[in-house]
Structures are given as structure tokens and as C-alpha cells.
Amino acid sequence: MMPSHTPSIAELREIRERAWQRLASAVPVAIAAMTKTKAKLEAQIDAGKKLSRGDQRELEEIGALLHRIEVAKACALLSRMDLEKIEAALRLVDTSRGIR
């Protein structure tokens, strides 16, 4: 029987860091694949083809996920801004839309 190696805390941290790096590099690829699938399904709709229930569900799920990603990006951006910058940005958007 071979003795088992118990990883040290440093080794575990390194393993975790590499796993997060691999995951982080996979996210843009997954988003690109979802966007491509979404465009393909929307093109079928534009061509007058009726989507199957599975394709409709997939399109809805992709749309919802991409929306959540955009919301998360906006939240991350806002969390790095101070209140005065956020208010200034909102005033700029309101002005461009003609809102008082």
C-alpha cells in the first residue's frame, strides 16, 4: 500500500487559484457560444421558422443568463464608483433622454 500525500495549505491554495483561473478563462468562451446560439435561433425566427419548445426554452434561458451577466457587470462597475459619479452618470442619461 502506497502512502497517500496530504496536500499542504499552500498546495491547496495553488490548486484553488489554478482552478479559478481555468474557470475565468472559460467564461468568455461560454458567453461567446451562448451569444452565437442565441443569434442562430433568432435568425430562424426572423426567417419565419417556428422554434421547437426546446429551442424556445433555450433561447429564453440564454437571454435571461446574458441579461444577468450584464446586470452583474453594471453592479460591479457601480460598486467601484462613488455616489457623486453615479448621480452624475444618471443625470447625463436623463439629459440625453430629455428627462428632467
Side-chain angles (χ1 to χ4, degrees):
M1 187 187 232
M2 298 180 70
S4 64
H5 170 72
T6 304
S8 68
I9 297 296
E11 289 172 320
L12 289 173
R13 286 182 182 145
E14 183 180 326
I15 290 168
R16 185 181 67 195
E17 180 62 29
R18 280 184 292 179
W20 275 110
Q21 288 172 353
R22 286 195 313 266
L23 180 62
S25 67
V27 169
V29 174
I31 290 171
M34 284 188 294
T35 303
K36 185 177 179 181
T37 301
K38 182 178 183 246
K40 183 183 90 174
L41 293 172
E42 288 174 340
Q44 290 178 10
I45 292 171
D46 293 342
K49 182 178 177 190
K50 184 172 177 158
L51 297 179
S52 69
R53 284 187 183 179
D55 285 345
Q56 288 174 351
R57 188 171 39 254
E58 183 177 14
L59 183 59
E60 291 168 3
E61 289 172 359
I62 289 172
L65 182 58
L66 292 175
H67 177 73
R68 285 196 308 259
I69 290 168
E70 290 303 315
V71 168
K73 286 179 182 178
C75 289
L77 176 64
L78 290 172
S79 72
R80 293 190 304 264
M81 296 172 68
D82 65 1
L83 183 58
E84 290 175 7
K85 287 182 182 178
I86 294 171
E87 289 174 343
L90 289 173
R91 280 193 299 276
L92 182 63
V93 169
D94 287 348
T95 303
S96 69
R97 291 184 179 169
I99 301 172
R100 270 188 100 211

